[in-house]
Every structure is written in C-alpha cells, then in structure tokens.
Amino acid sequence: MLSKEFITAGNAIFTVENNKGEHFTFKVEKKKAEKNYPDAWFVRAMVGTDNVEHYAYLGLLDAEFGKVRMTRASKFTEDQTQTKVVRWAFDKIWTKGSLPEGYKIRHNGHCSRCKRVLTNPESLDTGIGPECVKILARE
C-alpha cells in the first residue's frame, strides 16, 4: 500500500486497479509555497494513451486529510469515475485501510519526489528513494 508521504512527495504517479481489470492512473504534483500562497498539490488524471503527457487537471489535494477539492479549472465533475476513484484511493491511503480482494494501488517505479527509477527493495515497496526519504524527513 502506498503512503501519504509517497502521494505528497511532489511528483507521485500511481495507478488504481479494480477486480474487473480496469485501471486509472493519476499524478500528484506539488507546487512549493510562494508569496501569499501555501504549498499546493495538484491532482491530474490520465486521459489518453501517453502516460507522460495525457493528463487533465482534476482538483487540489488537502495533504493533511487526503481530500480532493474540485476547482473552477477542474476538467472532471464530482460524479465522474476518475473523481470517485482518486477520492476512494486517498481515503484508503490516508486511513491505512485494507483494499478489497483484487484491488491494487501501485506506484510507477519512479521516486515520487525526484522521479529517479527505483531499484532499492525498500524503495520499491514505498515508492520513495533512500536519499529522498532523508530529505522528506527534514522538510
């Protein structure tokens, strides 16, 4: 199971898969605080076949509670599947809830902070590289 530290590290990409074989991929990108604006986490959902470029803005993540808020710029509505899926996934991650049989939430094999390919066994479990774990602990 991924952690909220993975999701909020700054460059998280993860896929939610259900027991029917359907899957949805999401990005969570952190924008550092500047001037009067606090840190912000932008949630995007994959909408095409290019898993690098084909993402559309879904909403803002409240990193403390794991809740997604739609904004005027959201390309999805409250009742769309992608919105329901990412909210369900964040609820499971933030509450450390167990997943139903056949459901998975997986990272894409890259560090959710620096985007490097993960090779360390512990990093493959957490989705965060060993150096980035140290950096995140200091932030």
Side-chain angles (χ1 to χ4, degrees):
M1 173 67 85
L2 299 179
S3 66
K4 62 183 177 179
E5 291 77 17
F6 168 85
I7 297 295
T8 59
N11 291 297
I13 299 175
F14 66 97
T15 298
V16 179
E17 182 181 348
N18 67 21
N19 60 359
K20 300 173 198 161
E22 300 168 319
H23 65 277
F24 301 89
T25 300
F26 302 94
K27 274 187 185 183
V28 180
E29 297 170 309
K30 181 179 180 181
K31 182 171 169 69
K32 293 263 189 195
E34 56 183 55
K35 297 187 182 178
N36 296 333
Y37 296 99
D39 288 344
W41 287 265
F42 295 94
V43 180
R44 293 177 171 79
M46 190 169 147
V47 294
T49 57
D50 182 342
N51 61 10
V52 175
E53 298 295 328
H54 290 174
Y55 288 84
Y57 174 68
L58 193 144
L60 286 173
L61 171 64
D62 177 330
E64 183 177 353
F65 299 105
K67 304 294 182 193
V68 175
R69 179 174 55 89
M70 310 302 280
T71 68
R72 286 184 308 214
S74 297
K75 304 299 182 198
F76 297 87
T77 61
E78 295 282 344
D79 61 341
Q80 280 186 278
T81 302
Q82 291 90 335
T83 305
K84 292 176 182 179
V85 168
V86 79
R87 285 179 168 163
W88 176 86
F90 287 161
D91 179 64
K92 293 296 184 189
I93 292 167
W94 259 254
T95 63
K96 298 182 177 149
S98 61
L99 299 178
E101 183 72 29
Y103 284 69
K104 297 176 183 169
I105 303 174
R106 307 183 215 207
H107 64 78
N108 71 335
H110 292 82
C111 177
S112 68
R113 184 182 170 278
C114 70
K115 300 182 184 179
R116 289 186 182 128
V117 173
L118 298 171
T119 57
N120 176 295
E122 185 175 330
S123 299
L124 288 167
D125 290 340
T126 65
I128 305 171
E131 295 305 313
C132 289
V133 166
K134 295 174 192 171
I135 292 168
L136 291 169
R138 292 191 302 257
E139 289 183 355

